Amino acid sequence: MLKTLFITGTDTDAGKTVFTTALAAYLQKYRPQQSLGIMKPIQSGVGDRQLYQKLFSLSQSETEITPLYFQAPLAPPLAAAKENREIDLGVVWQTFTQLQQSRDFLLVEALGGLGSPVTDEFTVADLAGEWRLPTVLVVPVRLGAISQAVASVALAKQAKVQLLGIILNCCSEMTPEQIADWAPVDTIESFTHIPVLGCLPYLENPEDLDKLAQIASDLELEKLFN
């Protein structure tokens, strides 16, 4: 049974946080007997760590949610350099394994996209591949979505990432016709050979846990959990 899920995207602001919060809301509502952990291995600038602490009762410290934190909202190697610090992935791995052993289910949200640098020589795709993390790719619905999906899946395969599926995400209000035109499921699946598990609608209030749980329940999550 799937115990850990790595959520990455095609780039920054693809919708990783929306999917992570929706999945967490779903798990806490429909599987309350299972203990949940959420992790953002590295964070640069204010953002996801604070949101997860606000929305969910995780029984986790700040450093257990985000083992490495940098002030500048930049790629980690650049943010770390501004603080004269190094990126110690050993600290991240230690926190990850502790959470994985103590929780029934662990959601790990990546930083940036699959090609984003984690260190000067290591990308998000490298981390997902070497740590053997079952992964979902979030693709924002917009012109260019097909190209972004194809390129990201190619990078994932090169890094030997265990890619379970693709989630489409509407970053703004869209009609069904726009979604079908910009992110046609059949075309994306045909080129990537990865199943599209559903589409997240645009949310005016991305902190509404009941709504988040509902939209997650409309996705093909059985392909992840079974």
Side-chain angles (χ1 to χ4, degrees), residues 21 38 51 53 107 153 160 167 204:
T21 51
I38 301 179
L51 178 66
Q53 286 180 309
L107 300 176
V153 170
K160 298 181 179 179
I167 294 289
E204 289 187 5

Side-chain angles (χ1 to χ4, degrees), residues 1-5 26-27 30-35 100 103-106 132 134 162 164 221-226:
M1 179 178 175
L2 186 67
K3 185 180 174 69
T4 302
L5 187 66
Y26 171 87
L27 290 167
Y30 296 108
R31 299 190 179 193
Q33 73 281 4
Q34 293 184 316
S35 59
Q100 193 178 49
R103 300 295 191 275
D104 294 318
F105 201 86
L106 178 61
R132 299 181 181 180
Q162 183 187 350
L164 302 181
L221 297 181
E222 67 276 2
K223 292 185 179 180
L224 299 179
F225 297 136
N226 294 339

Side-chain angles (χ1 to χ4, degrees), residues 68-195:
L68 294 181
Y69 177 77
F70 303 101
Q71 295 290 333
L74 301 169
L78 302 178
K82 285 184 175 293
E83 298 179 26
N84 295 315
R85 294 168 58 193
E86 294 185 356
I87 296 173
D88 185 355
L89 288 181
V91 172
V92 178
W93 174 257
Q94 183 178 22
T95 303
F96 168 74
T97 54
Q98 288 173 346
L99 285 172
Q100 193 178 49
Q101 291 167 5
S102 63
R103 300 295 191 275
D104 294 318
F105 201 86
L106 178 61
L107 300 176
V108 183
E109 183 193 348
L111 52 129
L114 276 171
S116 296
V118 176
T119 68
D120 288 328
E121 300 176 346
F122 207 63
T123 66
V124 170
D126 294 326
L127 187 146
E130 290 198 15
W131 290 12
R132 299 181 181 180
L133 301 175
T135 300
V136 166
L137 175 71
V138 180
V139 178
V141 178
R142 59 191 177 209
L143 192 62
I146 299 171
S147 175
Q148 284 194 314
V150 171
S152 292
V153 170
L155 178 57
K157 290 180 178 178
Q158 178 182 320
K160 298 181 179 179
V161 177
Q162 183 187 350
L163 196 55
L164 302 181
I166 291 170
I167 294 289
L168 303 177
N169 176 59
C170 297
C171 300
S172 60
E173 287 281 3
M174 293 186 182
T175 65
E177 290 75 18
Q178 286 175 312
I179 296 171
D181 286 344
W182 290 342
V185 171
D186 289 346
T187 302
I188 290 173
E189 290 184 334
S190 175
F191 276 100
T192 64
H193 305 291
I194 301 294

